[in-house]
Amino acid sequence: MKRYNSTLIKMTRRLGMAIAALLMLSTMASCSDQDSQAPATGDEAYLNLSFSTASATTSRASRAENIGNNETQANPTAESDIHSIKVWVFKSETGASANPIAYKEDTPSAVDGKPVNGNYTLNLRFLRKINGEELKNIDLYILANSESTNMADKLKGKDLRSITRADLQKVTFDDPFGITAEGKAQTREVPNGKGLPISRAITNIAIADHVADTEIEAKDKGISIPLVRAVSKLHFYFARKTGEDAMTENVKVTRIEIDENIFPTASYVFPDEEDYATADANKAATSNKYGTPSYVATPLKLDGVENAKIKAVADPLAYKRGEAETAQDYMNRMNKEIGGHNLSYLRETNKPITGKIYYQLADGGSVKSQGFTIPSSGNAIRNRELVVYGYFLQGGALCLDWQVMPWNKVTSEI
């Protein structure tokens, strides 16, 4: 009996040791980063990738071709926060069915609970040779803050490490940057802890001048890529003329409506692919992958603006954007001296944004309206700051001035 118990104890100990070893391996696996990269065989290479969410650019003007600096900065700064980032690497000149040769995801905010603002750098490891052929050019699909959309639902059941290029090209999101059934904007502030969706698709990156044998060496050969937000923001500013005979002392905006069938029911997560040679000069990348989309049949109904919140000024015309005024100087002036209303973050559209502003000159008076159109110039409005300035002149006439400004500038000023 003693010999039997001794044997049983030994077997139990061995089984316990085996279970402990398995648990250790499981723990190691669960703590590893979520890379799908080259094994450490001596054939791997490293790249240092630097991403910016708000870089300076020379972009197309909103009203006249001679307006130069036409981009605006993040305001609040949370509009440029990176909470998480995903990077897919493809061999260049591969088709829609190609799988990534490397994949990496990272969560900068996991370190101290705070996101990275504006710029983020990560190292990427991959095999130097694919099927015996040395890798020369790569394509990158980069996505920050995917958790702020329902992209995961659209890709449910797919492994992000082996997802095809076609899957990334066609993936969309239809929540939450849209319009509710009641006609309200779903997103009126940057999603807390998630940020705004920010992405880019860059092709034909020649890696000869950037690749290195170690992470440290790769830092001196970094690749810099500007990212763009997959949504835009819309807001309004109002002013009225002062003076005893101005007839604007009691004016108020009763409501603002954006027409139905303006915003598509879904937007693409990634803009169109762009060649690396020209992408750096085009930091306002957009998407033309529309086909024939369906549109939200509900109009966007925005709040009115009470008289006390309509800025009284001596000359409302002075708050139109000057012909030589940069976009950022203009927005600094408007935010400081006039104040905005009805900030909304919305999915992009390939249609002009049309709507009406309803107002009264006095309580109990008749409700008047003034229509407006923010043209899209044939391009989907992604990563743009859309501003409508309404001003009441003497006699109470409402005039409107619009701006479309790429939402890219990075500066220390707020």
Side-chain angles (χ1 to χ4, degrees), residues 72-322:
T72 59
Q73 69 191 35
N75 185 14
T77 57
E79 292 172 349
S80 286
D81 281 350
I82 296 177
H83 295 263
S84 67
I85 195 159
K86 296 175 173 64
V87 181
W88 290 265
V89 186
F90 294 89
K91 181 182 177 182
S92 293
E93 299 181 356
T94 52
S97 62
N99 298 109
I101 60 173
Y103 167 77
K104 185 168 186 176
E105 62 180 71
D106 200 4
T107 309
S109 60
V111 177
D112 56 6
K114 297 179 181 179
V116 172
N117 184 263
N119 296 278
Y120 188 66
T121 299
L122 61 79
N123 284 296
L124 188 71
R125 190 178 79 239
F126 55 91
L127 286 175
R128 289 181 180 275
K129 294 183 178 181
I130 305 296
N131 297 324
E133 181 182 349
E134 187 169 351
L135 191 64
K136 295 181 180 179
N137 294 279
I138 61 171
D139 303 340
L140 296 177
Y141 272 72
I142 310 112
L143 173 61
N145 307 331
S146 63
E147 295 78 11
S148 64
T149 72
N150 64 340
M151 167 186 163
D153 295 335
K154 304 293 184 179
L155 295 175
K156 197 169 185 179
K158 294 183 181 293
D159 185 349
L160 294 183
R161 298 166 182 79
S162 58
I163 198 169
T164 66
R165 186 193 296 264
D167 287 327
L168 294 178
Q169 287 175 337
K170 68 184 180 183
V171 66
T172 61
F173 63 98
D174 53 23
D175 187 61
F177 299 94
I179 302 170
T180 68
E182 294 75 31
K184 298 298 182 181
Q186 280 185 301
T187 309
R188 288 180 279 184
E189 58 184 20
V190 178
N192 186 36
K194 296 180 180 179
L196 298 174
I198 304 170
S199 59
R200 202 73 186 266
I202 305 293
T203 63
N204 295 312
I205 303 174
I207 62 173
D209 294 334
H210 304 287
V211 71
D213 294 330
T214 67
E215 288 187 15
I216 295 176
E217 292 174 328
K219 289 183 179 180
D220 296 326
K221 303 179 178 182
I223 297 174
S224 179
I225 296 176
L227 307 180
V228 296
R229 299 171 188 87
V231 296
S232 286
K233 68 175 179 179
L234 170 69
H235 48 154
F236 295 77
Y237 294 78
F238 291 97
R240 62 183 179 85
K241 183 173 177 57
T242 58
E244 294 182 2
D245 59 347
M247 296 180 61
T248 66
E249 62 223 24
N250 296 311
V251 71
K252 66 178 179 180
V253 174
T254 58
R255 71 184 190 277
I256 303 170
E257 287 192 3
I258 309 296
D259 294 337
E260 67 274 13
N261 297 314
I262 295 294
F263 297 98
T265 54
S267 287
Y268 287 95
V269 172
F270 292 95
D272 294 334
E273 290 184 349
E274 297 176 272
D275 192 278
Y276 182 64
T278 58
D280 191 57
N282 178 26
K283 300 180 181 69
T286 189
S287 172
N288 294 304
K289 300 179 291 187
Y290 275 93
T292 309
S294 58
Y295 294 88
V296 179
T298 305
L300 176 59
K301 302 174 183 179
L302 301 173
D303 296 336
V305 182
E306 294 298 322
N307 174 267
K309 295 183 178 180
I310 298 177
K311 187 72 173 182
V313 298
D315 182 11
L317 290 172
Y319 291 92
K320 293 179 64 176
R321 181 177 168 188

Side-chain angles (χ1 to χ4, degrees), residues 339-400:
H341 306 277
N342 286 308
L343 175 62
S344 304
Y345 296 100
L346 298 161
R347 295 192 298 267
E348 67 178 339
T349 178
N350 59 341
K351 286 188 175 185
I353 296 177
T354 59
K356 286 185 178 180
I357 296 175
Y358 295 85
Y359 64 99
Q360 287 178 306
L361 296 181
D363 286 337
S366 61
V367 176
K368 303 174 183 291
S369 67
Q370 177 65 52
F372 64 89
T373 298
I374 304 177
S376 66
S377 301
N379 296 301
I381 303 174
R382 170 186 292 241
N383 197 53
R384 302 296 200 278
E385 182 164 6
L386 313 175
V387 174
V388 176
Y389 170 45
Y391 50 98
F392 294 90
L393 297 178
Q394 187 161 332
L398 173 61
C399 301
L400 301 174

Side-chain angles (χ1 to χ4, degrees), residues 61-64 66-72 317-335 337 401 403 405 409:
S62 63
R63 290 179 300 136
N66 61 352
I67 297 178
N69 187 351
N70 192 48
E71 60 275 355
T72 59
L317 290 172
Y319 291 92
K320 293 179 64 176
R321 181 177 168 188
E323 289 298 323
E325 188 174 25
T326 69
Q328 192 54 56
D329 286 344
Y330 175 67
M331 291 312 303
N332 287 344
R333 188 162 62 95
M334 294 298 282
N335 287 324
E337 300 179 27
D401 185 48
Q403 298 286 319
M405 298 171 286
K409 189 174 183 180

